[in-house]
Amino acid sequence: MVQLNLVKVLLLSNERTGDVRYKIFSKEGENPDYPEKIIVYREGNIGEHGERGWIKTDDVISLEHLGFQPGRGFQTTITYHIRPARDICSAIAECRQHFQEKFCSDR
């Protein structure tokens, strides 16, 4: 079983959806700047007396599409669409994109 270490917590919110917490994890023993996955939590009621807390959602954001791709190697051509690195900055960008698509779109 893979052990994960918490690297960063990002809190995003808007008036309509409330707070959403993104926890960015890396594998234990590996570089913390090389994140493994992101788990999403929503704030909600957890008790009978109106207590509020964080509830884990079914959303887990994979970061497999970032950085070096096994079997495909490094990007060797110059294009307008360079594959983002797999680092904390790209993980934060994935959180913001997820928040925009899931919680800010007009559905």
Side-chain angles (χ1 to χ4, degrees):
M1 184 172 168
V2 176
Q3 294 289 339
L4 298 174
N5 289 332
L6 180 63
V7 176
K8 188 167 205 63
V9 176
L10 184 66
L11 184 66
L12 300 174
S13 67
N14 64 28
E15 292 177 6
R16 188 174 59 119
T17 62
D19 294 334
V20 179
R21 179 182 280 184
Y22 292 88
K23 290 186 175 184
I24 303 171
F25 292 92
S26 67
K27 286 183 181 176
E28 184 175 28
E30 292 190 9
N31 184 351
D33 292 329
Y34 190 79
E36 183 66 23
K37 68 179 176 180
I38 302 165
I39 299 177
V40 184
Y41 297 81
R42 297 273 318 260
E43 187 177 27
N45 293 329
I46 59 171
E48 297 176 8
H49 305 290
E51 295 94 356
R52 307 273 299 161
W54 294 103
I55 302 167
K56 183 179 171 193
T57 68
D58 292 335
D59 295 346
V60 175
I61 303 169
S62 172
L63 301 173
E64 294 295 321
H65 63 284
L66 299 176
F68 176 77
Q69 301 291 307
R72 291 177 48 196
F74 291 100
Q75 184 168 347
T76 57
T77 58
I78 297 174
T79 66
Y80 291 107
H81 304 287
I82 296 175
R83 186 169 45 228
R86 190 166 172 180
D87 58 10
I88 294 298
C89 293
S90 295
I92 291 171
E94 291 290 318
C95 295
R96 291 178 187 206
Q97 178 180 347
H98 177 270
F99 184 77
Q100 285 289 59
E101 291 172 359
K102 182 112 182 190
F103 302 109
C104 295
S105 65
D106 294 329
R107 294 192 244 174

